[in-house]
Amino acid sequence: MAQAIPCALGGERCTFLTQMYVDNCPPLAGGREIWGYPMKYGIAKLDTVGDTLTGVLTYAGQTVASGTMVYKHGSPTDPAAIEALLKRTQVTLKLIPDIDGSPAIAQLVGITFADVVVKGAWTGRARVELIDSVNCPLADLPVLEHTGGLHLVTDMTLPYGRVLHDYLT
């Protein structure tokens, strides 16, 4: 599960990733240490219940986010438009301290998915609820308006990233 914010960097449309939650330690460590993804351990579940796609994120035993979306009875979405969206550069802020607590790495990192294949994409009505949590601050960026949801089925490759800016040089 990820919290992503559309943004622009040097005129290029990007996606800034503020928080990510995974339930598997190797991807958590690799994603955080190699790509700088802001990862923590959390359990995300996505299920289909009748005509509704449901998602829940649990952190430290507490539900911190839940959402619903119409399941495959919204509008089909143009695969080329979704592919373009997924090929936008993802931007992360990679911060790794040195042994004395001072910054050892402070980089803005860009990652662009490769080999993107969109197998299905649907838009439709959706709702999300974020619950306050001290160590999972998703709700610190509140939902102001529900504009819809996007359900994707894709294949893609996560290549290594590139340094967009090194704050220590």
Side-chain angles (χ1 to χ4, degrees):
M1 185 282 201
Q3 187 177 51
I5 300 171
C7 64
L9 180 63
E12 177 188 355
R13 295 176 73 181
C14 302
T15 303
F16 183 71
L17 299 172
T18 62
Q19 299 177 63
M20 294 181 78
Y21 298 88
V22 297
D23 63 358
N24 192 312
C25 289
L28 186 149
R32 190 173 55 207
E33 305 305 319
I34 297 170
W35 289 274
Y37 281 127
M39 290 187 167
K40 287 181 138 183
Y41 187 87
I43 300 169
K45 298 220 183 251
L46 188 63
D47 291 308
T48 305
V49 181
D51 62 352
T52 307
L53 188 64
T54 64
V56 174
L57 175 65
T58 304
Y59 184 86
Q62 176 191 11
T63 296
V64 292
S66 63
T68 57
M69 180 181 165
V70 295
Y71 180 66
K72 290 189 180 178
H73 59 90
S75 303
T77 303
D78 175 27
I82 298 303
E83 183 177 333
L85 176 69
L86 293 173
K87 286 184 173 179
R88 279 188 190 172
T89 299
Q90 294 183 23
V91 178
T92 64
L93 182 59
K94 182 176 180 177
L95 298 172
I96 298 178
D98 211 334
I99 58 171
D100 63 358
S102 64
I105 296 173
Q107 301 168 330
L108 203 57
V109 176
I111 302 110
T112 306
F113 288 127
D115 309 317
V116 175
V117 177
V118 178
K119 297 181 173 185
W122 301 267
T123 58
R125 295 181 323 278
R127 299 289 181 266
V128 67
E129 178 184 14
L130 304 176
I131 297 104
D132 285 330
S133 174
V134 68
N135 284 322
C136 181
L138 287 168
D140 288 359
L141 289 172
V143 175
L144 301 178
E145 179 183 4
H146 292 98
T147 59
L150 175 61
H151 172 212
L152 302 174
V153 179
T154 67
D155 286 337
M156 55 191 154
T157 301
L158 176 63
Y160 287 108
R162 63 195 182 283
V163 176
L164 302 173
H165 183 76
D166 188 332
Y167 292 98
L168 299 182
T169 60

